[in-house]
Amino acid sequence: MSDAPGPLAHATVMTGRSLLISRRNIDAVITSMMLPIMLMLIFVYFFGGAIDTGTQYDSYVMYVVPGVLFLCAGFGSATTAVAVSEDMKGGIIDRFRTLGIGGMPILAGHVAASTVRNLVSTTLVFAVALLIGFRPAATPAGWLAVAAVLLAYIVALSWISAAIGLLARTPEAAGGFTFFMSFLPYPSSAFVPVDSMPGWLHGFADHQPVTPAIESLRGLLLDQPVGNAPWTALTWAAGILLVAVALSGVLFRVRTR
């Protein structure tokens, strides 16, 4: 009977390695945490007084925080692409393979580390939001639903980022994906109501994966009706996750054959 570690043990070790690398790359960690906070402060204090979000919100901070939470999750998850690309370029993957570590545990380690980093940064963003006037009214069930939606998207976006890291030939190219993830919340209901956008943009804003996630977070945090938005958001996240995991497996085999 073999005593060799299995994929789960390998993934655990790879997670610890990725977190250790994050500690050594503290500037990137600080950037991923501070950028969403800076954007939230800019929108609340620079633009908030000029944006009309409807009478159901006491102030703009009550409207914008769910969008910033998602922006934080997306930006932090996107950095996984750079980490995976650096591994592929540096040749460490060949070393791991000689030790019997498969591709999926390596990628799963990057995703798990991304999830841990994102939970820390999301907590920090939420704490700052409370300091500047955000007052959630979520029920206990609502808090659980908020956590489920955020966690689902963090994991799904981290896996799609891992796939991008395998596609990119350089870490610099993979870094461009962080711009895309930072941009995606803007054509949604994150910062302004979709109805305030040009008519030709409504179709995309209403039917992209970010909008139902943000609408779910906003409704659940403020204890407002959410309809089917959480289920739509989770369906999007599950679809992204399934495609990303399958694509990552194929791309890893192509890059390492």
Side-chain angles (χ1 to χ4, degrees):
M1 197 171 175
S2 175
D3 293 329
L8 182 58
H10 287 158
T12 302
V13 172
M14 291 296 101
T15 301
R17 168 185 174 266
S18 296
L19 290 173
L20 182 60
I21 292 174
S22 296
R23 289 175 57 188
R24 295 173 179 172
N25 194 13
I26 194 66
D27 54 338
V29 175
I30 291 176
T31 299
S32 66
M33 291 183 178
M34 293 306 297
L35 181 61
I37 291 175
M38 294 302 296
L39 287 174
M40 178 169 62
L41 295 177
I42 288 171
F43 271 94
V44 170
Y45 291 115
F46 291 4
F47 307 136
I51 298 176
D52 182 14
T53 56
T55 57
Q56 69 268 43
Y57 303 104
D58 296 334
S59 62
Y60 184 62
V61 69
M62 299 296 290
Y63 181 90
V64 78
V65 166
V68 175
L69 291 175
F70 189 91
L71 179 67
C72 177
F75 184 82
S77 299
T79 59
T80 306
V82 178
V84 171
S85 181
E86 287 176 342
D87 274 358
M88 300 303 296
K89 182 181 179 181
I92 190 66
I93 297 297
D94 293 333
R95 174 64 174 165
F96 290 150
R97 294 181 70 198
T98 63
L99 296 174
I101 302 176
M104 296 309 288
I106 295 172
L107 298 176
H110 279 293
V111 170
S114 171
T115 301
V116 173
R117 292 192 301 267
N118 270 281
L119 292 176
V120 173
S121 60
T122 299
T123 301
L124 180 60
V125 169
F126 194 79
V128 174
L130 292 176
L131 289 175
I132 63 174
F134 183 68
R135 296 294 179 264
T139 63
W143 282 113
L144 290 175
V146 166
V149 172
L150 271 176
L151 186 61
Y153 271 83
I154 288 172
V155 174
L157 294 177
S158 295
W159 269 108
I160 200 67
S161 297
I164 297 298
L166 292 169
L167 275 173
R169 293 298 174 178
T170 65
E172 292 76 17
F177 186 62
T178 60
F179 170 79
F180 173 77
M181 291 307 302
S182 299
F183 170 78
L184 194 58
Y186 288 92
S188 73
S189 60
F191 302 109
V192 296
V194 172
D195 291 343
S196 68
M197 300 178 184
W200 56 268
L201 192 55
H202 287 185
F204 176 79
D206 282 329
H207 298 97
Q208 62 138 311
V210 172
T211 296
I214 292 172
E215 290 298 316
S216 299
L217 296 179
R218 183 175 292 123
L220 292 167
L221 286 171
L222 302 182
D223 196 22
Q224 297 175 349
V226 292
N228 293 324
W231 295 112
T232 303
L234 291 173
T235 300
W236 268 109
I240 293 171
L241 178 62
L242 289 174
V243 171
V245 171
L247 183 60
S248 295
V250 171
L251 290 173
F252 188 88
R253 288 192 293 272
V254 170
R255 289 289 304 271
T256 57
R257 65 184 178 184

